[in-house]
Amino acid sequence: MKEKILQIFKDANGDFVSGESLSKALNCSRTAIWKHIEELREEGYTFEAVRRSGYRLISSPDIPSQVEVQTGLQAKELGREIHYFGAIDSTQHKAHELAKGGAPHGTVIIADQQAGGKGRMGRPWHSPAGTGIWMSILLRPELPLYRCPQLTLLAAVAVVQAIRETTGVRAEIKWPNDILVEQKKLCGILTELNAETDQINYLIIGIGMNVNTEDFPSELRDIATSLRIQVGTPVKRIPLIQRILENLEKLYKLYIEYGFSPIKSLWEAHANTIGKRVVLRQLHGSLEGLAIGINEEGTLLVRKDNGEIEKVYSADIENASSPST
């Protein structure tokens, strides 16, 4: 009911809406309308009430609900269906549940807080209330299985572009799925899929971004940052979410039409790894060399000291010191 009330006020575009028209539109009493508006006030919405004129929405809190995100969203497919939760175990878990239930391509799941947020390799992700973007996006691409890693790289480009466009912060991509600012982690991207031998049933892109976090647990303070720390003032989450979805949709359409080549060029332009000496830690050991780029599959290419080119599909990566002479 509250979402329906908010949508009416959003459509009114700052004009007054009478209690009578709200009551008729929602088929409930004026007393019920008043109670819902009071609940919205408690959530941070500001209304002006004038006798014989009704109510007028003055301001909205930075709550990334369905109504708030969809109002002004320019994407046509991504975000057409949005599920918002004040608190949830994991947006990824909910996305899988909705996908198996037939949710359409472009469905977005957003939470204000996650109790069980996770990153790559099952690592926990710090997801406190009101501070970040915890979001999962359901895609149903008609693509061969081997192209899935490319979509993680595509999502990273969309996120970096959105951060730069909305805040001016010059974020960079660390292969394969981290977004850094000044070598500290700002955002992680986790791609999970449900597939058969020769086809993808669905794919979920999870985005966890530290937006307004002011302090981190002691174990994260030296390695994590937030947009608020970088900018110095609070950052609105809703315009950032909208820009991520809009950029992701635009890049996805580009990718479907022209393949990975234009995405590859954009990714390399935003990467902080290319041209640097790196150490890659894998399950079977470590590898050191010069990161020279990614190939058309999205695989990292590393030139070892003996001149051989190693294709790296998965690894933890960090900068290395120059080789001894």
Side-chain angles (χ1 to χ4, degrees), residues 251-268:
L251 292 173
Y252 184 76
K253 289 180 178 178
L254 182 69
Y255 171 74
I256 294 299
E257 185 170 357
Y258 296 104
F260 186 61
S261 291
I263 307 302
K264 176 179 181 292
S265 299
L266 289 169
W267 188 93
E268 290 180 332

Side-chain angles (χ1 to χ4, degrees), residues 188-202:
I189 299 170
L190 175 65
T191 302
E192 297 177 328
L193 74 155
N194 181 293
E196 299 174 19
T197 305
D198 58 348
Q199 69 176 17
I200 301 169
N201 295 326
Y202 65 82

Side-chain angles (χ1 to χ4, degrees), residues 67-114:
V67 173
E68 296 295 340
V69 174
Q70 287 181 334
T71 300
L73 179 66
Q74 298 301 306
K76 303 301 182 186
E77 294 183 348
L78 302 191
R80 184 168 52 187
E81 182 174 314
I82 294 177
H83 299 263
Y84 169 75
F85 300 89
I88 198 174
D89 61 339
S90 163
T91 60
Q92 291 289 96
H93 292 164
K94 178 56 70 173
H96 280 287
E97 178 185 318
L98 292 170
K100 291 172 183 176
H105 172 85
T107 298
V108 177
I109 299 88
I110 304 172
D112 195 51
Q113 179 181 12
Q114 290 185 119

Side-chain angles (χ1 to χ4, degrees), residues 1 10 22 40 53 71 98 104 130 150 152 154-155 160 171 186-187 190 203 207 235 253 259 282 299-300 307 311:
M1 181 64 75
K10 295 288 183 181
L22 285 167
L40 288 167
S53 294
T71 300
L98 292 170
Q150 298 172 342
T152 301
L154 183 155
V160 166
L186 174 75
C187 174
L190 175 65
L203 180 142
I207 297 171
V235 173
K253 289 180 178 178
Q282 302 168 301
T299 304
L300 183 66
K311 294 181 179 180

